[in-house]
Amino acid sequence: MAELRVHARDTALVLVDVQARLAAAMPVEAFAAMTRNIVTLIATAARLNLPVLVSEQYPNGLGRTIPVLNEAVGKLQPAALYLEKNTFSLADEPLFQTFLGHGKRTLVMVGMEAHICVYQSARALAQRGYSVHVPVDAVISRTEANHRVGLDLIARAGCIPTSTETVLFDLLERAGTEAFKLLSRLVK
């Protein structure tokens, strides 16, 4: 069974394929909410020094990561790792194997689309013994039906469906810290 607890010392953030041309096909309100939640998780990663990977599926055809996320990721120190891929799952990409070299066993996975690239990546990593947490409010598909299917498959694969706030407060562990004061404002 996957570890339900998200510990900052053992967690990395993985952004899957939030790219310009694919974004145009998403439901507008759901996409805006997903983007806000991903920005919150990037800020959390920045404050807690979590490694971050950003994948891009066939960027020549689907474009690059959307500007608001690129801007947020661009402020990270150490810098995020960008991975171009043609496979739906990022798990077998050699550069991803380098990213896993950080030694983190818990992955928070966000992005698009829930029923394709997020699901296939999460499934493969869960099969390899990683604890994969997928905030349901930080993943999206073109249709609500496919979003639901993706979330169901993610859970059946042994991953943890969660929320952005659950991940944020699990990582923070306690109130009253400087990180809590800064990051809790992002979800009000």
Side-chain angles (χ1 to χ4, degrees):
M1 180 171 170
E3 171 68 43
L4 290 174
R5 177 78 168 82
V6 180
H7 299 277
R9 68 180 177 277
D10 190 40
T11 299
L13 178 62
V14 179
L15 280 68
V16 179
D17 308 343
V18 187
Q19 296 163 251
R21 290 191 195 108
L22 189 54
M26 298 299 145
V28 175
E29 286 182 28
F31 182 78
M34 178 202 69
T35 302
R36 281 190 307 276
N37 290 322
I38 293 174
V39 168
T40 296
L41 291 168
I42 293 168
T44 303
R47 180 68 177 158
L48 301 177
N49 298 313
L50 307 180
V52 176
L53 178 124
V54 179
S55 73
E56 295 178 327
Q57 175 74 24
Y58 182 58
N60 288 340
L62 297 176
R64 295 288 177 184
T65 299
I66 63 170
V68 67
L69 297 184
N70 260 336
E71 182 180 324
V73 167
K75 297 174 183 174
L76 293 171
Q77 289 300 323
L81 182 63
Y82 276 78
L83 166 69
E84 291 184 16
K85 65 185 182 65
N86 288 319
T87 58
F88 297 117
S89 171
L90 55 78
D92 292 322
E93 294 291 334
L95 193 56
F96 190 68
Q97 299 307 311
T98 300
F99 178 71
L100 292 176
H102 284 285
K104 308 299 184 183
R105 298 299 300 171
T106 301
L107 304 172
V108 175
M109 189 169 291
V110 300
M112 303 187 314
E113 287 190 69
H115 66 296
I116 303 172
C117 294
V118 174
Y119 162 61
Q120 289 186 27
S121 299
R123 175 188 63 197
L125 292 162
Q127 289 172 344
R128 294 177 190 170
Y130 289 89
S131 180
V132 182
H133 294 250
V134 180
V136 300
D137 55 358
V139 295
I140 195 171
S141 293
R142 284 165 287 155
T143 68
E144 182 56 34
N146 279 330
H147 185 249
R148 284 191 309 271
V149 165
L151 296 176
D152 179 58
L153 289 169
I154 285 164
R156 291 173 58 198
C159 303
I160 310 299
T162 187
S163 73
T164 297
E165 285 193 35
T166 299
V167 170
L168 171 66
F169 289 104
D170 221 8
L171 288 167
L172 288 173
E173 296 184 27
R174 65 179 43 105
T177 65
E178 286 303 313
F180 172 82
K181 291 173 187 172
L182 174 71
L183 295 171
S184 64
R185 288 186 226 145
L186 299 175
V187 293
K188 291 187 182 214

